[in-house]
């Protein structure tokens, strides 16, 4: 049981992935935002889990989240094998869509942090057009490096003025998770959610895989075919390593402990 969220966790190579589905995750996120819950949400698939195997600090970041959702069918399959029959994929772009759909009354304020120049602004236009009445109270395009002290002050000032309930972070794994953990107590926002490529997808710059590929666990193949130079290492090295390691765990040949 996750002490922060109160939801059970599947053990995926020592990463606690909350046993959620999309409707439940949407409700939990919106309720937490309205309560002013301080925390961050990591949307985690094979890539994040394998990064955690190589970096204990990153594993701690995932395990200290308010929620770690199953972003990928392999997470769902492992959870179901561990007895969580209602667990299903909580894909970053889908979570974003559903949260916006259910906050179109304007009672939850959203802020976009991340993306290349112009992406967050285009995303704001797209979401406000798709969900009339939704409140996007600001955007920030960070540099491709650590923020300077002046940039940190500027971001804090903008957030203090905008007063968002949710800061959507569109960087990439593991960069966005490290950002959220580092700035959790420093930024004047309650909930941060790292959704990676969802910014580019919803803004119309990157295509999503067909639904049948998503549901069959083949989205990685679609993304590899569209961005081979950038993603080949992630998928062609991580995926086989994950299959091998999770097979040992599920067979009881190797144990992974979850922090209490």
């Amino acid at each position: 049981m996750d002490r922060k969220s109160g939801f059970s966790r599947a053990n995926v190579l020592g990463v606690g992935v909350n046993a959620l589905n999309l409707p439940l995750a949407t409700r939990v996120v919106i309720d937490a935002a309205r309560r002013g819950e301080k925390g961050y949400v990591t949307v985690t698939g094979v890539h994040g889990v394998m990064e955690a195997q190589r970096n204990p600090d990153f594993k701690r970041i995932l395990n200290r989240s308010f929620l770690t959702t199953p972003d990928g069918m392999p997470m769902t399959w492992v959870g179901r094998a561990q007895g969580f029959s209602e667990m299903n994929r909580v894909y970053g772009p889908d979570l974003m869509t559903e949260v916006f759909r259910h906050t179109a009354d304007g009672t939850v304020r959203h802020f976009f942090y991340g993306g290349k120049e112009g992406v967050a602004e285009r995303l704001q236009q797209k979401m406000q057009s798709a969900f009339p009445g939704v409140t996007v109270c600001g955007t920030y395009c960070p540099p491709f490096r650590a923020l300077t002290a002046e940039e940190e002050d500027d971001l804090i000032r903008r957030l203090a003025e905008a007063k968002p309930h949710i800061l959507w972070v569109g960087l990439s794994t593991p960069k966005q998770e490290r950002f959220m953990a580092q700035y959790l107590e420093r930024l004047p926002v309650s909930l941060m959610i790292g959704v990676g490529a969802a910014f580019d997808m919803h803004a119309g710059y990157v295509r999503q895989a067909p639904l049948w590929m998503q549901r069959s666990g083949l989205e990685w193949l679609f993304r590899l075919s569209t961005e081979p130079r950038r993603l080949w290492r992630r998928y062609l090295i991580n995926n086989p390593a994950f299959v091998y390691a999770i097979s040992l765990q599920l067979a009881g040949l190797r144990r992974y402990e979850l922090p209490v």
Side-chain angles (χ1 to χ4, degrees), residues 139-210:
T139 66
Y140 191 93
C141 178
F144 288 96
R145 52 165 172 77
L147 297 177
T148 65
E150 292 76 14
E151 288 165 343
E152 286 184 7
D153 290 342
D154 180 49
L155 176 60
I156 290 170
R157 177 187 58 78
R158 292 193 194 193
L159 290 172
E161 292 174 354
K163 297 181 172 58
H165 296 88
I166 299 176
L167 178 66
W168 296 92
V169 182
L171 301 176
S172 61
T173 295
K175 186 177 180 180
Q176 64 190 10
E177 290 83 3
R178 290 187 175 127
F179 170 85
M180 294 189 295
Q182 178 183 353
Y183 284 94
L184 177 63
E185 301 300 334
R186 298 164 66 179
L187 298 181
V189 62
S190 56
L191 203 62
M192 293 190 278
I193 308 177
V195 290
F199 275 37
D200 287 330
M201 290 178 179
H202 283 314
Y205 293 109
V206 172
R207 289 185 298 146
Q208 293 192 53

Side-chain angles (χ1 to χ4, degrees), residues 10-25:
N11 183 338
V12 186
L13 305 183
V15 174
V17 180
N18 289 102
L20 299 167
N21 51 48
L22 183 58
L24 181 55

Side-chain angles (χ1 to χ4, degrees), residues 63-162:
N63 283 328
R64 290 174 178 171
S65 69
F66 171 69
L67 284 178
T68 291
T69 74
D71 177 46
M73 290 309 297
M75 304 298 103
T76 296
W77 295 331
V78 173
R80 291 176 182 172
Q82 294 177 3
F84 301 109
S85 60
E86 298 302 314
M87 190 170 173
N88 211 340
R89 189 183 192 201
V90 181
Y91 180 44
D94 291 347
L95 178 62
M96 197 172 192
T97 295
E98 290 306 301
V99 170
F100 271 79
R101 187 189 315 280
H102 288 86
T103 60
D105 59 359
T107 57
V108 172
R109 298 168 64 82
H110 304 270
F111 193 106
F112 297 139
Y113 177 93
K116 296 178 182 178
E117 190 69 38
V119 170
E121 289 82 358
R122 181 173 173 84
L123 177 61
Q124 178 179 8
Q125 295 169 2
K126 289 276 190 177
M127 299 308 268
Q128 289 177 329
S129 175
F131 306 105
V134 80
T135 301
V136 179
C137 58
T139 66
Y140 191 93
C141 178
F144 288 96
R145 52 165 172 77
L147 297 177
T148 65
E150 292 76 14
E151 288 165 343
E152 286 184 7
D153 290 342
D154 180 49
L155 176 60
I156 290 170
R157 177 187 58 78
R158 292 193 194 193
L159 290 172
E161 292 174 354

